[in-house]
Each structure stands twice: as C-alpha cells, then as structure tokens.
Amino acid sequence: EVQLVESGGGLVQPGGSLRLSCEASGFTFSSSWMSWVRQAPGKGLEWVAHINSGGSEEYYVDSVKGRFTISRDHTKNSLYLQMNSLRVEDTAVYYCARFGVRAGWSDWGQGSLVTVSS
Amino acid sequence: QSALTQPASVSGSPGQSITISCTGTSSDVGGYNYVSWYQQHPGKAPKLMIYEVTNRPSGVPDRFSASKSGNTASLTISGLQAEDEADYYCSSYTSSRTYVFGTGTKVTVL
C-alpha cells in the first residue's frame, strides 16, 4: 500500500522559514517523480513544485520561485520542501504527492497545514 | 499561469448524468494530452479519477468518463450517486513545463 506522510507544518511569522517532510513507502521512491500541491483554506488546488526521480530537475510555480526548494533523499525515502521568506498568502494545506508527467498525481498524503501569520 | 476555468457548481439527481467543463488555452489543455481530473471530498486529500485525458486508474468506476475538444476538457459522471458529491478539479501540463489546476467545481447530488 502506498503511503505518504507529511510533517513539519505549523505556525510561522511572515518572512520566516519552514521545512516540510514527506516520508514515502509502498512503492519504489527512487523511480518516482514527486510533487507538492497546496490548497489555501476554502480555495482550490495549486501545483507548487515537482522533482524528477533522480533529483536533477526541479520545477516551480512562479509565485514560489526563489523562495521554495524541493529536494529528495533516497536513503530516507523522503521528499522535502524548504520554504523561505514565507508570506501570508502561502498559508495552505501542503500535500505531498507521487507524480507522473502522463499519470498526474496518483497518490497523495494527508496534508500538512502551514499558517503564516503574525 | 492562470487557473483553468471550470463552472463553480453543477448539480443533478441520482441516476442522471452531469458534465463538468475545463477550459484552457492552446498552451495547456489544447496543446497536450496531459489532462487529469481529481475528486476531493471535504477534509480529504484529492483522488485521481482520470489521467491522459481519458484514462481511468484501476478502481475508479466506469461511470466516470472524460474527453477533450480543442481547448476544453470535460468530465462526465453517468448514473450519478450520492457518494459522487464532492469537489472536482482538472489539471493540465503547460508549455512552460509547469502544471495548472482548474478553479474547481462543486458537484451536488439533489
């Protein structure tokens, strides 16, 4: 069974930093593209970033470029999202998801809430 | 990277068919066959329902079907059931090598 478990969310002040983690199991993590998708309270889904299986290619939505960094550690079967210079508008539930260019987001974690507020 | 356009809400009675549209541009929906659809119940993570425009993952009922014409993709739910009441989102690959979701559609079963 595929499992994706996010952690690291919480309350942070504007301008602060936070790192989300996602531990994967039940599939070959090292062969899978991975992604972060967020959802602001009461709003729709927004693709944030994805990374290829080898970790050599990263893609970001314009609004987080230069502030967020996606990375992965195959020894720990884990995906990360380093979030710097956080803004109030970054407040959202962040989902870790297994991703395929053709297959879309096939498996999702339960989400981790990030609240940016003073 | 503007969101794809979906109707805010669609409703139908049990057993009926409904269709949700997803309109983009030639730089996303119209340019690639990488359109997918997601179902999201309140407080839950999204679930993949359709990928590559028309393909259903295993376990998704065949009541769910999809298509694309030009810059508009569509999701049809036939034989609507109470458990189909949820939010639905489309998504597409874009010419910028990024992805964009639709604005979301709330499906209500009357």
Side-chain angles (χ1 to χ4, degrees), chain A residues 39-91:
Chain A
Q39 186 169 36
K43 302 297 184 181
L45 300 173
E46 181 181 37
W47 166 76
V48 174
H50 67 258
I51 186 169
N52 71 340
S53 56
S56 61
E57 297 178 38
E58 304 164 24
Y59 301 87
Y60 300 91
V61 67
D62 284 347
S63 59
V64 309
K65 278 181 184 175
R67 300 188 300 122
F68 289 12
T69 302
I70 188 171
S71 63
R72 61 193 302 160
D73 184 339
H74 291 170
T75 65
K76 296 181 179 179
N77 272 7
S78 292
L79 177 73
Y80 305 100
L81 186 67
Q82 177 66 44
M83 303 182 293
N84 299 329
S85 303
L86 281 160
R87 305 168 180 168
V88 171
E89 54 265 34
D90 294 320
T91 294

Side-chain angles (χ1 to χ4, degrees), chain A residues 39 59 62 99 102 105 108, chain B residues 1 38 40 52 91 97:
Chain A
Q39 186 169 36
Y59 301 87
D62 284 347
F99 168 78
R102 293 183 175 183
W105 292 269
W108 298 69
Chain B
Q1 292 171 320
Y38 301 84
Q40 186 180 34
E52 281 188 279
S91 178
R97 304 185 74 180

Side-chain angles (χ1 to χ4, degrees), chain B residues 12-27:
Chain B
S13 299
Q16 287 187 331
S17 293
I18 61 169
T19 297
I20 302 167
S21 61
C22 169
T23 302
T25 69
S26 57
S27 296

Side-chain angles (χ1 to χ4, degrees), chain B residues 18-105:
Chain B
I18 61 169
T19 297
I20 302 167
S21 61
C22 169
T23 302
T25 69
S26 57
S27 296
D28 39 63
V29 174
Y32 306 92
N33 286 326
Y34 297 153
V35 176
S36 51
W37 289 89
Y38 301 84
Q39 176 191 66
Q40 186 180 34
H41 288 107
K44 300 294 187 181
K47 174 186 176 183
L48 177 66
M49 304 302 285
I50 297 286
Y51 66 98
E52 281 188 279
V53 181
T54 61
N55 296 323
R56 268 190 321 274
S58 61
V60 173
D62 59 8
R63 303 184 290 103
F64 291 85
S65 63
S67 62
K68 189 185 83 166
S69 178
N71 297 336
T72 298
S74 299
L75 174 72
T76 297
I77 309 175
S78 305
L80 197 62
Q81 298 184 6
E83 59 261 37
D84 300 333
E85 185 161 294
D87 293 326
Y88 291 81
Y89 296 91
C90 61
S91 178
S92 175
Y93 180 70
T94 82
S95 59
S96 302
R97 304 185 74 180
T98 61
Y99 287 80
V100 62
F101 280 97
T103 50
T105 298

